[in-house]
Amino acid sequence: MARWLSLLLLLLCWARASAAPPKPLLWQVSDEDNSVYMLGSFHMLKAEDYPLAAAVNQAFDAAGKVYFEVAPDELNNPASVQAMMKTGLIEGGGTLQQSLKADTWQRLQRYCQTHALPIESFQAMKPWLAALTIANFAVTQAGFLPDLGLDKHYMDMAAIERKDTAGLETLNQQIGVFAQMSPKDQELFLIQTLKDMQDPAQLEQLHQRWRNGDAEGLLQLLSQDSINDSPAFYRRLNRDRNRAWLPQISAFLRENTQGDALVVVGSLHLLGADGLVELLKAQGFRVVRLN
């Protein structure tokens, strides 16, 4: 019995190790003397998503500097994270229930009952923080772990290799995208999150399209709800941030005559007409998709 069990475990390990790595959402953007590699991240992944494709590791090896949405030093600072969390809490003694319509509160109650979550733990949260908390819970329950996310992986690798790192925005700027939402948009965000997180198949579909390097299919899934339900939020979440990041990336290409860089950001930020890839192409840089 023990021999058969050992053989089964060996076969399972071999199958996972021999599975094809994800096809990277990776572009090389170049001028006359250097390149910036643009890598589309999935912020929470599974163990079977590693090892990564050779092209991704080669881009990291070639980079003297690695950009993330927020600098690793800031993300690893407990005081910064605590200050961020504070912006998502209701002040003045109000409650989340008072902030929501009755049917939205009932949706949240049903979700908490189904998943054995204490509804009381959400009462001090603004709707946007409640939505992010639910999304994080659901994604983790589905087997995706933040410590395995592509951003975290390359933050750790950059620290080991002692590469220079930087953030395209501050944590305060990133959280401001949610904190500055109108009460109506916050509630819509919570409603859409509850809807999405009740359908594990949608998350798996997103993950599979990312693994397959399906840029068009991934863009369709990532953007459809935001554009249709809250176009102003979509602009702040994606288009406005991309345009704020663009000068930093183009300046690196134009001003740095030696060495390359790697940019690791959420996949949505690279895709479509509003994405960084098309914005950089419009500025005259050479753009090539790497497979």
Side-chain angles (χ1 to χ4, degrees):
M1 180 66 178
R3 180 182 296 177
W4 283 109
L5 181 59
S6 298
L7 180 59
L8 178 60
L9 290 172
L10 180 63
L11 288 171
L12 288 172
C13 290
W14 175 84
R16 191 170 86 175
S18 62
K23 295 179 181 179
L25 289 166
L26 181 67
W27 288 262
Q28 183 180 14
V29 182
S30 308
D31 67 356
E32 291 76 14
D33 47 40
N34 66 337
S35 296
V36 170
Y37 296 92
M38 310 292 294
L39 177 61
S41 175
F42 210 86
H43 296 310
M44 301 171 78
L45 288 173
K46 298 181 177 182
E48 52 262 38
D49 293 316
Y50 295 90
L52 298 168
V56 184
N57 289 322
Q58 289 166 5
F60 173 78
D61 291 341
K65 186 171 186 176
V66 187
Y67 290 89
F68 301 95
E69 292 182 24
V70 177
D73 288 346
E74 189 174 9
L75 281 179
N76 294 329
N77 184 344
S80 298
V81 176
Q82 187 176 12
M84 177 273 291
M85 290 293 294
K86 189 175 180 180
T87 65
L89 299 179
I90 297 172
E91 298 177 349
T95 65
L96 177 61
Q97 183 176 4
Q98 293 169 346
S99 305
L100 302 174
K101 296 177 181 177
D103 59 337
T104 306
W105 177 251
Q106 289 166 6
R107 288 188 189 195
L108 178 59
Q109 282 184 310
R110 287 194 297 270
Y111 184 89
C112 289
Q113 289 168 357
T114 301
H115 297 279
L117 292 173
I119 188 72
E120 296 80 12
S121 64
F122 290 91
Q123 282 285 28
M125 299 181 187
K126 295 177 182 176
W128 68 264
L129 182 57
L132 292 181
T133 302
I134 289 167
N136 184 72
F137 168 79
V139 173
T140 302
Q141 288 294 105
F144 297 89
L145 301 177
D147 283 348
L148 295 177
L150 207 59
D151 319 68
K152 180 66 164 59
H153 173 77
Y154 279 117
M155 285 180 184
D156 292 343
M157 290 296 296
I160 292 171
E161 298 290 333
R162 297 185 178 180
K163 290 182 183 284
D164 188 19
T165 60
L168 294 169
E169 64 187 2
T170 66
L171 185 57
N172 187 56
Q173 288 172 322
Q174 187 173 90
I175 294 305
V177 174
F178 301 97
Q180 294 167 14
M181 294 170 71
S182 68
K184 178 182 177 181
D185 282 348
Q186 287 194 44
E187 185 158 1
L188 286 173
F189 180 45
L190 176 57
I191 291 170
Q192 189 61 52
T193 300
L194 288 167
K195 176 183 173 183
D196 291 344
M197 295 304 109
Q198 287 176 336
D199 183 11
Q202 185 175 20
L203 179 59
E204 289 294 343
Q205 192 176 14
L206 277 171
H207 179 234
Q208 196 58 50
R209 290 188 184 187
W210 177 83
R211 280 190 60 90
N212 293 340
D214 181 1
E216 291 185 5
L218 192 61
L219 175 64
Q220 182 183 15
L221 283 179
L222 285 170
S223 63
Q224 60 186 2
D225 292 331
S226 296
I227 292 176
N228 294 336
D229 296 340
S230 184
F233 174 58
Y234 174 78
R235 288 194 297 269
R236 289 197 303 272
L237 178 68
N238 188 54
R239 189 196 67 177
D240 293 352
R241 293 167 73 203
N242 293 345
R243 292 181 179 183
W245 299 347
L246 182 64
Q248 301 176 64
I249 300 169
S250 59
F252 179 92
L253 283 164
R254 291 193 173 103
E255 298 171 8
N256 184 36
T257 59
Q258 295 181 345
D260 299 333
L262 174 66
V263 174
V264 186
V265 294
S267 296
L268 179 60
H269 294 291
L270 303 185
L271 306 177
D274 293 328
L276 286 165
V277 171
E278 288 298 322
L279 293 175
L280 288 162
K281 186 185 295 186
Q283 292 197 347
F285 297 109
R286 295 189 302 274
V287 176
V288 178
R289 172 85 187 266
L290 303 178
N291 294 315

